[in-house]
Amino acid sequence: MIQIRPLFARATLAAALVVGTVSAAEAETIFHRGNGSEPETLDPGLSTGVPEHHIQMDVFEGLVAPGPDSEPIPGVAESWEIGDDGLTYVFHLRENAKWSDGSPVTAEDFVYAWRRLVNPETAADYAYFLWPVRNGKAISEGNAEPEELGVEARDEKTFVVTLEAPAPYFIDMLTHHSTYPVPKAVVEEFGNEWTRPGNIVSNGAFRITEWVPQSHIKAVRNEHFHAADEVKLDAVVYYPTEDREAELRRFRAGELDYTYDVPAQQIPWIQQNMPDQFRNTPYLGTYFYAFNVTAEPFKDNPALRKALALAIDRDILTEKVTQGGEIPAYGWVPPGMEGYQQQQLEWASWTQEQRNEEAKKLFAEAGYGPDNPLTVEILYNTDDNHRKIAIAVAGMWKQVLGDVNATLRNEEWKVYLETRDQLQFQVVRAGWIGDYRDPYTFLSYLRSDIGEQNPSGYKNADYDRLNDESTVETDAEKRMAIMAEAERILLADLPIMPIYFYSQQHMVADHVKGWEPNIMDYHPSRFITVER
Amino acid sequence: MLQQDASAAHPNQPIPGGGAPVVKGRSLWADAWRRLFRNRAAVASMVILGLIVLVCVAGPWFVPYEVDEIFWDAFTAPPSEAHWFGTDANGRDLFIRVLYGGRISLMVGLVATLVSLVIGVTYGATAGYFGGRIDDVMMRVVDMLYSLPFMFFVILLMVFFGRNIVLIFVAIGAVEWLDMARIVRGQTLSLKRKEFIEAAHAGGVSAFNIIRRHIIPNTLGPVVVYMTLTVPKVILLESFLSFLGLGVQEPMTSWGVLISDGATNLEVASWMLIFPAVFLALTLFCLNFIGDGIRDALDPRDR
Amino acid sequence: MLSYAIRRLLGAIPTLFLIITIAFFMVRLAPGGPFDSERRLPAEIEANLRAKYNLDDPLVVQYLHYLGDVVRGDFGPSFKYKDFSVNDLIWQGFAISAQIGGLAIAGALILGLAFGTLAALRQNSAADYGVMAAAMTGITIPNFVMAPLLTLVLGIYLGLLPVGGWGQVRHMVLPVVALGLPQIAYVSRMTRASMIEVLRSNYIRTARAKGLPERITILRHAMRAAILPVVSYLGPAAAGIITGSVVIEQIFGIPGVGRHFVQGALNRDYTLVLGVVVFYGALIILFNLIVDLLYGMLDPRVRYD
């Protein structure tokens, strides 16, 4: 154990430094931000989680950036043109786009970052984000060289992308962290330590100066950022706040200005005691239960699936159990998709009594009753909310249908995912959050042919075909109609049972200004001010 | 561990003299009983604990609710006539849940302690009786196991292989037997030089029977003391696992699960913490007092 | 004594080997993998990841690799926190856990010895009953109940102390108190019992009889003998502190080793979990050795052969 001594010294030094800076910094405008879990990595090419994305949105900037309301605004690219075939994108980068060390951000930086993302050696989870780009998929499968990726630096400030097929949602995708540029020289010099304070060079509104894992990350204003004079904060500190109760306590004690989340059971208390600081906005996601349609009892049994879907009272679930202003869901694609006609189950407008009647009828038709009770197990991952919903759903089935013996099984996240992937369940709790603001991010989730996701084992050739058609249709209106048709097929088959559309809760302190609610839940710190 | 020999040489063990330990032992035990019953704290504890056990075991038969029954119009309701302890965040009656939780917690405490008792006593008595190389090797193994960060292994077990109540028994029992083995071994070492053991040995009684008939019964005193102190430890351990979200599976519950639920609802629904916490604390109090009482009773020096 | 210490350390090698082996296979045979996530990875990408972390080799080969790395003092890269090595995380975390744990133990010793002695000297007085009742309460209230109560009252209602985070001295107060309370209770109970016994022994009676001041009798003579069971309790106490810190670090958001361990286990961060288990195994061995040596120094009857 030879390495022990120097490392120990470094750790204590880091702790000492932290003590010094925190107390010296009181005079500055600092935004203390609860940020969910500890980031896995700050490398935009390698990270996968939402907490990382929030930091990277502040610290890096892609071709397109999310505005205060999450609508894409020009980022490093000040303008772009799309070819008539929908395949060629030409991005013109701003002259004053700079890295935090003062060097310019060039088209070459994007070429490097994108090739790196799809390079199998990088082993990036999000490599598939660039599969719409020419040769993207082939490269990450090892069938082509990274140099063959359809990207090109036409000159220092012109970046050209060629797609495999038209992808109308491509610009929206560019706010995603996997497409951000990375500083080639720094990455090559420091390897996987390039994101550490002291090493990291970035091109966003803030730059990282401290990182103590499981404690905090501090980023200060980047003077080289092209809009640095519009950034009002001197620094942002991100805290890992996995324990929502603890996060709320820290907010109440004034240690946090903003929370990542709010514990559901505290919402009534908060609404009574600190309603002004409570924010609750719809979020682009659907919470649902998936039936395993590859096995008994749900295989080829749409009547049973429908009976169970009918028998749960979504109003009670959202009002009494989750209590967070969630919207009861009777469709798959959440509201808030521009130009998309939201689809609904035909019984969405019925009363719960009508639904219960129909549910009983279908349940009996499916052959269940006192002589043949239904035994069903609900799988969920360990979490207070999921647990409460599962308890309530099991209770509702038992109450409405009578002869249901519902048991619960909770598994810890990673085990749950494996069980789910192997279809070793009957009913599973799941949720899906859109990657970008287009129905396709939801519809493609339940395709049978892309070998990923799709928790229920659902397979319908028509559904897959309509999905394919939607990716090549360039007429926006027709495309939306195709996707609506796909959703109707899905809702008729009912391999999944929608429960509610997410809403996202935050505590935002009174002195925080410039925070705008939006469906993507993007809140870049560059638009936020703290007026104490 | 060097101090072990010191405690093994404890002067005041139940030391039966001749070949009929049962007769001699009875007077000693009777003596201990008498002292125990003069200890007011211990007697009060036994009464309270008895009541708690009775209520948890028999109570659910008299409560008209199911443990997983949801009252749709009473979510997080404070104590009332219908729900003596109020309801939880899922609208379930807390009284019945505290009773069911008590069954589980008490059972975990009892079964895990028994597991550790069986392993520890057998292991310790064997090592101590055979002595020499066998003892050396067996105690080396115990020393090695002592250095394992056991709690971490228990957490890993729970995280990786799911929340299975049997697994909780086994895992906790496996952690707790080490102390038991050491105590019993120390006792055995001092016992086996006694005449009645040697007499049995000379009389041709097999090693297995000597351990079973003569050694183990004579180590019971300290073992009983240790047991009463292990049960509360195990109950606490289970509640600790529950706090980390690794406890028993819904809709079943335990005091640990109820308390960790209640702790998060402290300000909104204090009854969700108070009732299970009072039951748990009372039980632990009683067990500790009883343990102390038995120890003092077996150890006549007045403490 | 030195040779005894060296022999004990050499004897720890098979124990460490056992720890590594059990932990390695337990972690690997567990269901769930480090690359499972909500957005399931395309097969090609998962293959790339597995290749990068040598997960494609047979398990035995991986095991031997790992043993070799550990012998060199290298716990490898963290699977989950990709910008850090396990060594970085453990040492950063340990610097913090050791502060909290060390303070909690030190506080428990000082206060526990003081309360215990006080109770013993005034046996069966109100002070005695008070201390013992408080100690019993300390033992029976789990620290995951105590910690939120403390934060609520001292942190939020009274606003005296921060309720989470790490960096300044005031951040340490609540976690140290929550962690140390049960230990204070155990130590004072133990001290009381052994002190009462010691006070009845002949040499104390002699010391008193020859007119030695009570203070010197207690502090110099009685304490030295009465402290012995407390010293041997320090081994289990350290283990208890380590376990307790898992909960405390979680509640207070402290970046210590316990937190890394729980996160690592949940995330299937193989290398991080293994690293923490092996590190703490080594630490417990070392601590037990120190306790035994200390015991020998205090108790003249013990000889190292």
Side-chain angles (χ1 to χ4, degrees):
Chain A
M1 298 236 190
I2 295 158
Q3 301 188 25
I4 283 168
R5 200 173 286 273
L7 277 170
F8 187 60
R10 199 188 325 160
T12 23
L13 183 66
L17 277 176
V18 175
V19 176
T21 39
V22 171
S23 49
E26 297 298 352
E28 300 176 322
T29 327
I30 299 179
F31 182 38
H32 297 276
R33 204 174 162 153
N35 200 48
S37 46
E38 169 70 21
E40 294 176 26
T41 166
L42 291 181
D43 186 329
L46 295 181
S47 75
T48 54
V50 176
E52 290 86 347
H53 193 180
H54 285 309
I55 300 176
Q56 286 157 344
M57 246 181 324
D58 288 350
V59 171
F60 291 90
E61 187 177 45
L63 292 164
V64 174
D69 55 357
S70 85
E71 288 290 342
I73 59 170
V76 174
E78 63 191 345
S79 64
W80 52 88
E81 293 122 33
I82 306 171
D84 290 337
D85 51 3
L87 293 177
T88 319
Y89 285 66
V90 180
F91 294 95
H92 304 286
L93 313 192
R94 342 178 154 257
E95 284 305 319
N96 59 353
K98 288 196 182 124
W99 291 100
S100 55
D101 62 357
S103 59
V105 178
T106 63
E108 206 45 66
D109 290 324
F110 281 95
V111 172
Y112 172 74
W114 288 27
R115 282 180 183 163
R116 175 173 177 265
L117 186 73
V118 291
N119 190 334
E121 282 172 28
T122 314
D125 288 15
Y126 262 116
Y128 73 88
F129 237 66
L130 288 188
W131 287 4
V133 178
R134 178 154 296 165
N135 291 330
K137 187 161 191 237
I139 297 167
S140 50
E141 286 169 355
N143 297 328
E145 291 305 310
E147 289 70 32
E148 295 172 58
L149 185 69
V151 293
E152 178 201 351
R154 189 169 287 166
D155 58 49
E156 192 171 283
K157 292 292 182 186
T158 312
F159 179 60
V160 183
V161 182
T162 317
L163 302 187
E164 287 278 359
Y169 46 87
F170 188 63
I171 290 293
D172 251 12
M173 287 175 74
L174 296 180
T175 56
H176 192 266
H177 59 78
S178 57
T179 68
Y180 292 172
V182 292
K184 183 178 179 185
V186 181
V187 174
E188 285 176 352
E189 186 182 346
F190 296 107
N192 71 339
E193 296 187 1
W194 78 269
T195 52
R196 302 266 187 104
N199 301 347
I200 186 169
V201 166
S202 62
N203 71 327
F206 297 87
R207 61 188 173 83
I208 287 174
T209 55
E210 283 170 28
W211 182 1
V212 183
Q214 302 287 11
S215 171
H216 70 275
I217 290 174
K218 185 178 183 187
V220 301
R221 185 170 48 214
N222 173 12
E223 296 303 336
H224 292 287
F225 182 59
H226 58 80
D229 39 334
E230 292 164 29
V231 177
K232 290 141 200 144
L233 296 171
D234 293 311
V236 189
V237 187
Y238 309 88
Y239 299 88
T241 49
E242 224 137 37
D243 183 338
R244 283 173 281 200
E245 300 286 342
E247 182 182 40
L248 182 64
R249 286 197 294 270
R250 294 181 73 176
F251 179 83
R252 287 172 60 191
E255 292 160 30
L256 297 177
D257 299 319
Y258 170 75
T259 69
Y260 183 80
D261 205 346
V262 174
Q265 66 259 35
Q266 303 288 359
I267 291 177
W269 184 90
I270 291 168
Q271 280 170 334
Q272 216 160 50
N273 292 284
M274 39 203 320
D276 302 345
Q277 309 186 65
F278 181 58
R279 298 285 183 288
N280 193 356
T281 41
Y283 186 38
L284 198 64
T286 309
Y287 189 102
F288 62 99
Y289 274 24
F291 301 109
N292 180 356
V293 296
T294 65
E296 294 297 330
F298 298 109
K299 190 180 183 190
D300 303 324
N301 202 345
L304 178 63
R305 299 200 296 260
K306 191 171 174 189
L308 293 184
L310 280 162
I312 63 168
D313 187 333
R314 290 161 181 77
D315 291 324
I316 286 187
L317 283 177
T318 51
E319 279 162 27
K320 292 202 167 164
V321 181
T322 63
Q323 306 182 49
E326 290 82 1
I327 305 162
Y330 301 94
W332 171 235
V333 178
M337 301 283 190
E338 212 170 307
Y340 184 73
Q341 172 70 45
Q342 221 196 332
Q343 300 301 310
Q344 291 212 315
L345 290 158
E346 77 274 10
W347 40 267
S349 54
W350 298 5
T351 66
Q352 190 61 40
E353 286 69 36
Q354 288 173 304
R355 289 181 200 146
N356 290 349
E357 283 314 305
E358 179 74 7
K360 282 179 202 156
K361 212 179 91 208
L362 287 168
F363 189 68
E365 271 172 29
Y368 294 95
D371 319 324
N372 183 23
L374 172 70
T375 305
V376 62
E377 186 182 66
I378 302 173
L379 171 68
Y380 62 99
N381 60 293
T382 310
D383 178 278
D384 232 28
N385 245 0
H386 303 333
R387 182 181 60 129
K388 283 198 225 155
I389 292 171
I391 291 168
V393 167
M396 287 167 176
W397 283 345
K398 206 171 175 179
Q399 193 184 27
V400 174
L401 303 172
D403 308 299
V404 178
N405 182 13
T407 54
L408 310 183
R409 181 171 62 164
N410 79 314
E411 289 182 344
E412 172 278 310
W413 182 237
K414 297 273 171 175
V415 183
Y416 152 89
L417 285 172
E418 191 166 294
T419 315
R420 201 178 91 177
D421 288 358
Q422 293 169 350
L423 292 166
Q424 300 291 326
F425 64 87
Q426 293 181 312
V427 179
V428 68
R429 162 274 141 186
W432 183 247
I433 308 294
D435 279 319
Y436 40 87
R437 208 179 301 203
D438 187 277
Y440 187 67
T441 185
F442 281 88
L443 295 171
S444 62
Y445 175 75
L446 292 168
R447 292 179 65 146
S448 69
D449 55 344
I450 45 175
E452 46 182 278
Q453 295 140 3
N454 189 356
S456 65
Y458 174 60
K459 191 178 172 94
N460 181 325
D462 288 335
Y463 182 77
D464 293 342
R465 180 180 50 78
L466 287 167
N467 262 288
D468 277 337
E469 282 175 19
S470 80
T471 60
V472 292
E473 176 61 61
T474 47
D475 181 278
E477 209 168 307
K478 276 189 201 154
R479 189 170 159 267
M480 290 297 172
I482 293 172
M483 291 195 285
E485 174 66 25
E487 189 180 357
R488 279 195 292 277
I489 290 179
L490 181 76
L491 294 180
D493 288 344
L494 220 61
I496 51 119
M497 164 177 109
I499 294 182
Y500 62 75
F501 298 124
Y502 278 89
S503 69
Q504 182 63 53
Q505 297 88 33
H506 298 283
M507 301 302 298
V508 183
D510 289 331
H511 53 258
V512 172
K513 308 282 184 242
W515 189 94
E516 287 188 28
N518 64 72
I519 195 165
M520 299 297 288
D521 202 31
Y522 287 169
H523 307 284
S525 305
R526 61 184 272 208
F527 303 111
I528 286 171
T529 14
V530 175
E531 293 162 5
R532 278 179 218 277
Chain B
M1 286 278 179
L2 297 154
Q3 69 278 14
Q4 198 50 56
D5 295 293
S7 79
H10 239 243
N12 43 276
Q13 299 311 326
I15 302 166
V22 187
V23 178
K24 272 270 178 186
R26 193 198 292 151
S27 75
L28 178 118
W29 282 101
D31 222 28
W33 274 119
R34 203 163 40 79
R35 272 194 295 269
L36 184 59
F37 279 113
R38 263 189 314 199
N39 183 333
R40 267 176 299 167
V43 172
S45 296
M46 281 191 275
V47 172
I48 297 175
L49 187 65
L51 281 177
I52 291 178
V53 172
L54 188 72
V55 166
C56 289
V57 173
W61 296 328
F62 299 99
V63 179
Y65 307 136
E66 295 292 320
V67 65
D68 58 349
E69 190 175 348
I70 299 175
F71 297 89
W72 297 103
D73 48 357
F75 275 60
T76 327
S80 64
E81 240 167 79
H83 306 287
W84 293 355
F85 288 3
T87 62
D88 71 1
N90 259 100
R92 294 175 297 187
D93 182 69
L94 202 60
F95 182 56
I96 188 89
R97 292 189 69 73
V98 168
L99 299 188
Y100 270 95
R103 283 180 172 187
I104 297 282
S105 286
L106 292 169
M107 200 160 73
V108 169
L110 206 65
V111 175
T113 304
L114 285 178
V115 170
S116 77
L117 185 77
V118 171
I119 305 178
V121 169
T122 318
Y123 195 94
T126 312
Y129 179 74
F130 288 107
R133 287 278 292 280
I134 296 180
D135 181 37
D136 274 355
V137 172
M138 287 179 82
M139 284 299 114
R140 283 287 313 164
V141 171
V142 169
D143 282 345
M144 270 166 87
L145 293 177
Y146 251 111
S147 302
L148 296 187
F150 254 120
M151 204 52 225
F152 285 12
F153 281 111
V154 173
I155 295 177
L156 283 185
L157 262 180
M158 292 294 136
V159 168
F160 292 164
F161 299 104
R163 302 93 172 96
N164 183 328
I165 193 140
V166 179
L167 209 59
I168 297 180
F169 293 151
V170 174
I172 297 181
V175 182
E176 295 295 333
W177 69 271
L178 295 172
D179 288 321
M180 199 71 91
R182 283 190 165 178
I183 292 171
V184 172
R185 168 184 170 266
Q187 291 290 309
T188 313
L189 276 182
S190 65
L191 271 176
K192 78 169 178 184
R193 287 188 217 103
K194 296 280 182 291
E195 295 85 350
F196 75 98
I197 301 283
E198 281 178 6
H201 195 63
V205 181
S206 71
F208 173 76
N209 275 332
I210 293 181
I211 293 178
R212 192 171 60 90
R213 298 273 304 277
H214 300 296
I215 305 267
I216 291 181
N218 280 298
T219 58
L220 272 186
V223 166
V224 168
V225 172
Y226 190 74
M227 245 183 83
T228 45
L229 297 177
T230 305
V231 175
K233 231 164 98 188
V234 170
I235 292 180
L236 260 183
L237 209 59
E238 188 276 332
S239 68
F240 168 81
L241 287 175
S242 297
F243 172 77
L244 291 176
L246 307 173
V248 291
Q249 195 77 269
E250 286 286 352
M252 275 329 291
T253 188
S254 74
W255 285 339
V257 174
L258 291 171
I259 288 175
S260 77
D261 256 10
T264 61
N265 286 298
L266 195 55
E267 280 171 289
V268 200
S270 52
W271 59 90
M272 283 176 64
L273 176 64
I274 292 170
F275 291 109
V278 164
F279 269 72
L280 178 76
L282 260 183
T283 306
L284 298 186
F285 253 108
C286 292
L287 282 165
N288 276 307
F289 276 124
I290 295 172
D292 286 358
I294 297 181
R295 193 187 53 212
D296 292 349
L298 289 173
D299 179 357
R301 285 171 309 171
D302 170 46
R303 287 207 163 146
Chain C
M1 187 158 151
L2 185 69
S3 77
Y4 171 78
I6 291 172
R7 257 186 306 127
R8 280 283 299 266
L9 285 177
L10 286 179
I13 291 174
T15 312
L16 269 179
F17 177 77
L18 185 78
I19 294 176
I20 297 173
T21 309
I22 298 180
F24 183 89
F25 287 99
M26 205 164 138
V27 170
R28 280 314 167 79
L29 296 176
F35 307 124
D36 290 338
S37 66
E38 178 95 51
R39 291 165 164 72
R40 194 173 335 151
L41 296 178
E44 302 81 20
I45 291 175
E46 180 153 351
N48 294 340
L49 275 168
R50 296 184 68 86
K52 187 173 166 184
Y53 287 100
N54 298 323
L55 290 177
D56 290 335
D57 294 333
L59 201 58
V60 179
V61 176
Q62 292 181 46
Y63 170 66
L64 293 176
H65 264 296
Y66 186 74
L67 268 186
D69 287 344
V70 170
V71 169
R72 283 195 300 275
D74 178 9
F75 287 131
S78 164
F79 274 47
K80 170 94 176 175
Y81 305 115
K82 300 188 178 75
D83 307 355
F84 293 88
S85 73
V86 172
N87 291 42
D88 290 343
L89 291 171
I90 289 182
W91 282 110
Q92 274 194 6
F94 182 63
I96 291 165
S97 298
Q99 284 178 47
I100 301 181
L103 284 173
I105 284 210
L109 274 183
I110 296 170
L111 294 177
L113 284 174
F115 288 143
T117 310
L118 185 80
L121 290 177
R122 312 233 187 297
Q123 201 187 344
N124 296 332
S125 72
D128 180 23
Y129 290 132
V131 167
M132 284 308 105
M136 198 64 104
T137 315
I139 292 173
T140 48
I141 296 188
N143 55 9
F144 56 83
V145 173
M146 192 55 96
L149 273 174
L150 284 175
T151 51
L152 206 59
V153 174
L154 294 176
I156 294 178
Y157 294 159
L158 301 177
L160 296 176
L161 290 162
V163 297
W166 190 249
Q168 287 157 283
V169 177
R170 53 201 197 96
H171 286 123
M172 285 192 217
V173 180
L174 287 180
V176 168
V177 170
L179 195 56
L181 275 181
Q183 306 299 334
I184 297 178
Y186 278 115
V187 172
S188 49
R189 270 166 64 90
M190 232 174 303
T191 309
R192 175 180 178 271
S194 63
M195 188 57 103
I196 287 175
E197 201 163 320
V198 170
L199 287 177
R200 290 213 188 105
S201 60
N202 292 332
Y203 74 97
I204 296 294
R205 238 178 272 160
T206 314
R208 281 178 172 160
K210 78 178 183 191
L212 215 58
E214 183 72 5
R215 193 169 50 86
I216 293 181
T217 314
I218 300 297
L219 290 183
R220 197 167 298 162
H221 298 287
M223 191 59 106
R224 187 174 162 143
I227 206 175
L228 286 175
V230 177
V231 169
S232 53
Y233 170 71
L234 281 182
I241 291 270
I242 289 171
T243 315
S245 73
V246 172
V247 167
I248 295 297
E249 288 172 14
Q250 179 106 343
I251 292 176
F252 290 100
I254 297 168
V257 182
R259 196 133 182 250
H260 287 316
F261 173 77
V262 174
Q263 290 304 321
L266 295 178
N267 291 319
R268 294 294 182 280
D269 193 335
Y270 296 152
T271 45
L272 182 57
V273 169
L274 280 172
V276 172
V277 171
V278 174
F279 176 80
Y280 267 160
L283 203 67
I284 292 177
I285 291 174
L286 196 69
F287 213 82
N288 282 338
L289 174 64
I290 294 173
V291 165
D292 284 354
L293 292 178
L294 204 64
Y295 195 91
M297 280 192 284
L298 287 168
D299 186 348
R301 286 170 302 184
V302 174
R303 290 276 171 275
Y304 301 103
D305 45 356

